[in-house]
Amino acid sequence: MQQERFRVFISHKHADAALASVVGRQLERLSPHVESWVSGEDLVAGGDWNRAIKKALADSHMLVLLFTTPARNWDWCLYEAGLFTRFGEDDVSSVVCLYDPKGQPPRPLSNLQGVRADETTLAKFLGRLFKETWRVADDWKRGPLAPRLGPARIDKAAARIASEFDKAMGNNPTVGDLAYYPCHRVVLDFGPHNGRSWDRIPDNAVVVEGADATSAYTLSLFGVAEGSRERTWGDLVEAVGDGRAQWRADLDAAFALSLEEQLFPGTQEPFKAWDRREGGRREYRPMIYRVLRSGPRRTPVGLTIVLDPVPG
């Protein structure tokens, strides 16, 4: 205990920077063995931010995600959480999501530890974290962080975090103020038409990468990451199995019907993508979300596919 610190990576949206700082300070005040790393705040100007974040994640024993409102785009924060759970079976780490007491944690993290940001639930969580640390962060093998921590100090820290979380909720937009962005979406660019038939989604459609397109977190479902290489829809289909599967046929049929401006049923059969909880696989159901068309012939130029995780 005298040699190693318990490192906590705090992932948050830029608008919630004040909340992240409060959470980090409160955790450190409860034990001298705790060291917090606030995503974004602890980056050195001019440094390699991507490398710094990955190193901080690799060095941490726990990731705390501050999920204040689903009205914002959470792709990057969920990508950090996804990276944190992927360091290998021999390096199992913990993700804790603090969320609105009146809401729900993000669906992609529903299988991980969720903590409502009210005083009672936070106090219970902090008590376990500092007195039964190995039960909350399962790769920590050095005993409790603060075995003699009194309930008064725990309650005070919980009240401070709950108060700041409530304040952050007031500063954030409600779901009605902004459109909700699905956590997993694949954005495709069809490129030149070249006499293409539109009875199916073309294999050579290019995957558009970026925070407002196909995020690195979504790409990780297919076992790939961001990079200079151009990826196609065919690459993603191949990564999750047989392109002749029923889900692919259903999705192609829905796409063809959408071009005819007809209603279409949702895809019934899911495909299996990477997920740690299921030993590396989890089922997702793809759905046509948006088709972009251009010119007098209303030629399709792009497509957005939403990946909905199947409960279970």
Side-chain angles (χ1 to χ4, degrees):
M1 283 289 290
Q2 288 76 14
Q3 301 298 324
E4 185 174 356
R5 288 181 177 271
F6 183 87
R7 297 178 180 88
V8 182
F9 184 104
I10 301 177
S11 180
H12 66 95
K13 296 295 290 184
H14 179 72
D16 300 323
L19 169 62
S21 295
V22 167
V23 172
R25 287 197 303 270
Q26 293 301 315
L27 293 178
E28 290 178 349
R29 287 173 180 173
L30 291 177
S31 171
H33 304 297
V34 173
E35 178 183 317
S36 65
W37 199 93
V38 179
S39 177
E41 180 180 283
D42 296 321
L43 295 177
V44 178
D48 187 336
W49 57 270
N50 197 24
R51 183 186 299 272
I53 286 176
K54 290 181 178 179
K55 183 180 186 306
L57 285 166
D59 291 342
S60 297
H61 298 93
M62 172 181 289
L63 182 143
V64 175
L65 170 63
L66 306 178
F67 187 73
T68 49
T69 172
R72 295 192 181 278
N73 187 334
W74 288 88
D75 280 356
W76 179 252
C77 291
L78 295 178
Y79 171 56
E80 289 179 335
L83 277 179
F84 191 70
T85 59
R86 293 197 64 184
F87 283 116
E89 295 180 1
D90 296 327
D91 187 18
V92 180
S93 301
S94 299
V95 176
V96 177
C97 176
L98 302 190
Y99 63 94
D100 177 12
K102 300 177 183 178
Q104 298 290 331
R107 290 186 65 181
L109 301 183
S110 60
N111 60 304
L112 302 173
Q113 295 187 68
V115 177
R116 293 193 305 274
D118 60 72
E119 291 186 31
T120 301
T121 308
L122 282 169
K124 182 178 179 181
F125 165 70
L126 292 175
R128 293 188 65 205
L129 173 60
F130 286 91
K131 294 186 175 184
E132 300 177 275
T133 313
W134 62 92
R135 297 185 184 276
V136 181
D138 46 17
D139 71 337
W140 179 257
K141 309 299 183 184
R142 294 179 175 269
L145 290 168
R148 298 181 180 85
L149 185 62
R153 291 184 62 194
I154 292 176
D155 290 344
K156 183 178 179 181
R160 182 72 179 90
I161 294 174
S163 174
E164 193 66 28
F165 200 97
D166 187 62
K167 186 188 300 183
M169 289 296 302
N171 294 334
N172 273 293
T174 63
V175 176
D177 292 329
L178 288 177
Y180 173 67
Y181 292 92
C183 292
H184 291 301
R185 60 190 183 278
V186 176
V187 179
L188 302 176
D189 180 2
F190 293 151
H193 181 258
N194 295 331
R196 180 182 291 156
S197 172
W198 295 111
D199 59 343
R200 67 197 304 265
I201 301 171
D203 285 339
N204 62 354
V206 175
V207 178
V208 182
E209 299 183 25
D212 295 322
T214 311
S215 71
Y217 180 46
T218 298
L219 287 175
S220 71
L221 297 178
F222 298 90
V224 298
E226 287 181 312
S228 57
R229 173 191 167 190
E230 185 177 87
R231 302 187 186 280
T232 66
W233 173 239
D235 292 334
L236 300 190
V237 171
E238 183 179 354
V240 294
D242 189 353
R244 294 171 295 179
Q246 187 60 47
W247 70 266
R248 175 73 189 277
D250 291 346
L251 193 65
D252 284 336
F255 173 67
L257 287 173
S258 72
L259 297 184
E260 298 295 330
E261 299 183 2
Q262 297 183 33
L263 296 176
F264 53 86
T267 305
Q268 297 302 310
E269 181 178 314
F271 66 86
K272 289 186 177 181
W274 184 92
D275 186 89
R276 177 171 175 257
R277 182 188 65 166
E278 299 295 338
R281 309 293 275 179
R282 184 177 183 181
E283 292 187 332
Y284 286 83
R285 185 174 290 112
M287 299 179 292
I288 301 294
Y289 181 69
R290 184 176 68 167
V291 180
L292 292 180
R293 308 178 79 162
S294 179
R297 296 179 177 273
R298 306 190 66 226
T299 302
V301 295
L303 174 68
T304 299
I305 300 169
V306 173
L307 308 179
D308 184 37
V310 177

